[in-house]
Amino acid sequence: MIDQTDFKILSLLCGNSRLQWREIGEQVHLTGQAVANRIRRMEELGIIEGYTLRLNERKLGKAMTAFVTVFMKTVDHPAFHQFITEKEAVVEANRISGEGCYLLKVTVSGQDELSLFLDEILKYGNYRVNLSIGKLK
Amino acid sequence: MIDQTDFKILSLLCGNSRLQWREIGEQVHLTGQAVANRIRRMEELGIIEGYTLRLNERKLGKAMTAFVTVFMKTVDHPAFHQFITEKEAVVEANRISGEGCYLLKVTVSGQDELSLFLDEILKYGNYRVNLSIGKLK
DNA sequence: ATGTTTACTTTCATGGCGAAAGGAAAATAA
DNA sequence: TTATTTTCCTTTCGCCATGAAAGTAAACAT
């Protein structure tokens, strides 16, 4: 299905998706065209879902990252899903097992914006917040 | 520093960083070259840190995502940092405030790999695991 | 009024990308 | 064993994207 060369190509593209096919080809000992064929195939298989940026959120004014565990009090999960989807500050959201119903990763400009966000969460349930003190990885 | 046009460009590139400068220009009413100039400037400012892929981890055999909160029992944090950095299964790691010391996002192929990983964590401290049941965002 | 700075548009050269053809090896079928 | 098909590479080609630079106009400073 997908071999070691494909994994190597993925690894290189994750590092820099604007690498030229020729440059990748040099690393995996193929021509650029052969690399292009493999990349297209992984796109078609859905392994590569898209191409995006790595942004420095801090330099965009999002100085604070918080992890918010939500304990739902309502059964209207679809409304919560919609709220989460529309909320730009929520960069990632997972439904989780164990303690809590959802885990949200939130980036905000400061305490004020976080506070406002948490107030909005109260409509759906209670929450626990952990602030990111630093990002290791 | 960075205006609404820049934010629009970032938004478009986050959606698809292989968009052509001309295509982005059409959206923000500039020529492709003007867009290219702005993108380069945001790279130089460090706002754009790089270009990468959106991968389907599930199709890469990483069928399970878990959030692991680590409660350190040792003060040798650097060793833990090193372990985390080298561990491919750890896709994201933050030092956190409140309950727990670190929050790790981990992708694994199944319970066995998760189990092994958690055994390794025990060298540094205790843990709490929440499995992702589904990803909203 | 003049000079400088900023940021755009236009122009140009290079080469990247996408598609297709050709070829070789491996796999499959007869 | 031979013939055919399939797979995946390399090579080729045409189009146009990218990077760089020149020209221009508006805003700003003196």
Side-chain angles (χ1 to χ4, degrees), chain B residues 105-125:
Chain B
K105 179 181 177 184
V106 174
T107 63
V108 291
S109 54
Q111 286 179 339
D112 291 344
E113 190 184 346
L114 182 58
S115 219
L116 289 169
F117 174 75
L118 294 173
D119 283 341
E120 288 182 276
I121 290 289
L122 289 176
K123 288 184 280 193
Y124 303 95

Side-chain angles (χ1 to χ4, degrees), chain B residues 57-58 61-65 108-110:
Chain B
E57 298 279 359
R58 185 174 291 273
K62 297 286 194 175
M64 191 179 283
T65 298
V108 291
S109 54

Side-chain angles (χ1 to χ4, degrees), chain A residues 2 7 9-10 13-18 21 39 43-57 59-60 65 67 69 80-81 84-100 102-105 128-137, chain B residues 2 7 9-10 13-18 21 39-40 43 45-57 59-60 65 67 69 80-81 84-100 102-105 128-137:
Chain A
I2 166 174
F7 277 114
I9 290 170
L10 285 178
L13 283 174
C14 280
N16 176 8
S17 65
R18 289 197 75 212
W21 303 160
I39 290 170
E43 286 171 351
E44 282 161 6
L45 288 170
I47 293 168
I48 294 177
E49 290 183 334
Y51 297 79
T52 189
L53 297 179
R54 270 193 305 282
L55 288 175
N56 185 313
E57 298 279 358
K59 286 183 171 175
L60 282 172
T65 298
F67 296 91
T69 304
F80 180 71
H81 290 183
I84 290 308
T85 297
E86 285 166 4
K87 199 69 186 178
E88 269 197 27
V90 178
V91 297
E92 188 175 336
N94 285 264
R95 192 174 195 173
I96 51 174
S97 72
E99 195 191 16
Y102 296 95
L103 178 62
L104 315 178
K105 179 181 177 184
R128 184 183 65 224
V129 188
N130 299 91
L131 295 183
S132 173
I133 308 300
K135 182 169 180 140
L136 274 60
K137 191 172 177 180
Chain B
I2 168 175
F7 277 115
I9 292 170
L10 285 179
L13 283 174
C14 281
N16 177 7
S17 65
R18 288 197 76 214
W21 303 158
I39 291 170
R40 185 168 310 284
E43 288 172 349
L45 289 170
I47 294 168
I48 296 177
E49 288 183 335
Y51 296 80
T52 190
L53 297 180
R54 270 193 308 282
L55 289 175
N56 185 313
E57 298 279 359
K59 286 184 171 175
L60 282 172
T65 298
F67 296 91
T69 306
F80 179 71
H81 290 184
I84 290 309
T85 298
E86 285 165 4
K87 198 69 185 175
E88 267 196 29
V90 178
V91 297
E92 188 176 337
N94 284 265
R95 190 173 196 173
I96 52 175
S97 72
E99 192 191 19
Y102 297 94
L103 177 62
L104 316 178
K105 179 181 177 184
R128 183 183 65 223
V129 188
N130 300 90
L131 296 183
S132 173
I133 306 299
K135 180 166 182 145
L136 275 59
K137 193 171 176 179

